[in-house]
Amino acid sequence: MIDIEQLFKRYYRQLYVYAFQILQDEEKSKDMIADTFEYLCNHREQTDEQTINSLLYLTLRSRCLDQLRHDKVHQGYAEYYKKVTSLDAESHYEEYEERHRLVNDALGKLPERTRGMVEAFFVQRKKYKEIGQLFNITDQGVRKHIRKAVQMVREEISKKI
């Protein structure tokens, strides 16, 4: 019967160096050695003591290569996600910039008085009554100007989209 503890003490350093040469990562190398000895524990009945050295190295090599493949796939997904999210952020910013430009162009086509009322209402957050006092018209007049301005801006933007 194979003494796993004795084999672990005997081969650990050599196996660690071998795994580290493949993976270039201390923790992953230790994990792969643990997986190799776990495999050996689970299959000790079928293991020939004369080929134990070869079995350890081949099993460790196989585990390390599997880990490298796994890391490569994981890295590919990470790069893909990064690319998709950065493109998404860029497209949202570009969309925002385009909409902002369209709104500004449409506002620029409004009469100066109406544009002043729209700015007072939407930018300065003034009430209809306050705007009416500034422009010497009724609250209803301000409401009509703003409603008409919003309609004109929508129509102008819809022509360009």
Side-chain angles (χ1 to χ4, degrees):
M1 184 90 155
I2 298 173
D3 183 8
I4 302 293
E5 186 177 343
Q6 192 66 21
L7 288 173
F8 186 82
K9 289 178 182 177
R10 181 174 171 196
Y11 287 102
Y12 180 80
R13 286 187 183 183
Q14 296 166 358
L15 293 173
Y16 175 78
V17 169
Y18 183 67
F20 188 78
Q21 286 175 342
I22 296 170
L23 298 173
Q24 300 294 311
D25 185 292
E26 290 180 25
E27 291 304 313
K28 287 180 183 175
S29 297
K30 292 175 184 176
D31 289 344
M32 294 304 105
I33 293 169
D35 288 352
T36 299
F37 277 99
E38 179 182 4
Y39 175 82
L40 183 62
C41 281
N42 293 335
H43 296 89
R44 75 173 106 190
E45 307 303 327
Q46 301 98 331
T47 304
D48 182 14
E49 288 187 42
Q50 295 173 348
T51 60
I52 197 76
N53 188 28
S54 298
L55 177 69
L56 287 171
Y57 278 94
L58 287 174
T59 304
L60 181 60
R61 181 175 181 272
S62 175
R63 305 281 174 169
C64 289
L65 293 176
D66 287 346
Q67 182 64 46
L68 289 174
R69 279 190 287 275
H70 173 77
D71 291 348
K72 188 174 183 178
V73 168
H74 183 74
Q75 182 181 4
Y77 281 127
E79 288 173 5
Y80 174 75
Y81 179 76
K82 185 177 177 182
K83 181 180 176 183
V84 167
T85 56
S86 70
L87 288 176
D88 195 37
E90 286 177 22
S91 67
H92 283 307
Y93 179 74
E94 290 170 1
E95 256 181 58
Y96 171 79
E97 286 293 316
E98 178 63 15
R99 287 182 183 179
H100 190 267
R101 186 187 63 74
L102 289 172
V103 169
N104 279 338
D105 289 350
L107 287 173
K109 294 180 179 179
L110 293 175
E112 189 175 329
R113 181 177 167 99
T114 304
R115 190 172 46 244
M117 288 182 207
V118 168
E119 182 181 317
F121 184 74
F122 288 107
V123 177
Q124 299 170 6
R125 299 293 212 197
K126 294 188 178 195
K127 298 188 185 312
Y128 291 138
K129 190 171 192 164
E130 294 173 302
I131 298 169
Q133 290 171 351
L134 285 172
F135 290 92
N136 295 321
I137 60 171
T138 65
D139 302 359
Q140 286 296 78
V142 173
R143 185 174 288 131
K144 286 179 184 178
H145 272 276
I146 291 176
R147 194 175 318 133
K148 186 176 179 183
V150 168
Q151 184 62 36
M152 289 171 64
V153 168
R154 282 183 181 155
E155 288 173 3
E156 191 65 33
I157 290 174
S158 66
K159 288 179 190 175
K160 295 181 180 180
I161 292 182

